[in-house]
Amino acid sequence: MTQDKPRRTSQTREWYTPNQDRSLTEAVLDAIEDYKGEDLLRADFVLYEDIDADALNSLFRHDAPSRTTVTFGTDGVKVELWGGGGVEIRVTGRSVE
């Protein structure tokens, strides 16, 4: 078991492009892990309960318009994605509604 790392910043940013050896969904999970400073037990953390991964991948395909944006909340964080061809991912604390 790995020990949790303390979170160091108020946000995490990652850049994803379709030619990487991971899916956009995996990049989002990596960004959430970086933000929280802990390894997500992927069996316990189910991103798919909050967003449709296939729809997300379709929205940000390589020929998507550059103004494509998606924002959603999951596991106590806010995830924002924007771009086309490449996707900028930003994870921040989610405000209480």
Side-chain angles (χ1 to χ4, degrees):
M1 179 180 279
T2 56
Q3 191 173 25
D4 293 346
K5 301 175 284 185
R7 184 170 39 135
R8 290 174 268 154
T9 64
S10 61
Q11 69 178 352
T12 294
R13 289 182 182 254
E14 283 215 22
W15 182 253
Y16 168 79
T17 57
N19 63 347
Q20 293 178 353
D21 290 334
R22 61 182 179 166
S23 68
L24 175 57
T25 306
E26 290 170 322
V28 168
L29 290 170
D30 289 344
I32 293 169
E33 284 181 342
D34 288 348
Y35 175 79
K36 295 183 96 164
E38 61 190 34
D39 291 330
L40 298 176
L41 299 175
R42 298 203 184 210
D44 293 340
F45 177 77
V46 184
L47 179 65
Y48 309 107
E49 290 179 1
D50 297 315
I51 193 151
D52 182 326
D54 290 334
L56 188 67
N57 289 325
S58 291
L59 283 171
F60 290 100
R61 63 190 187 277
H62 69 46
D63 59 347
S66 61
R67 293 185 182 183
T68 302
T69 62
V70 171
T71 301
F72 63 93
T74 186
D75 199 41
V77 299
K78 181 169 117 179
V79 179
E80 298 173 277
L81 303 103
W82 61 94
V87 181
E88 186 167 353
I89 304 165
R90 181 172 60 186
V91 179
T92 59
R94 187 164 82 184
S95 61
V96 178
E97 298 177 20

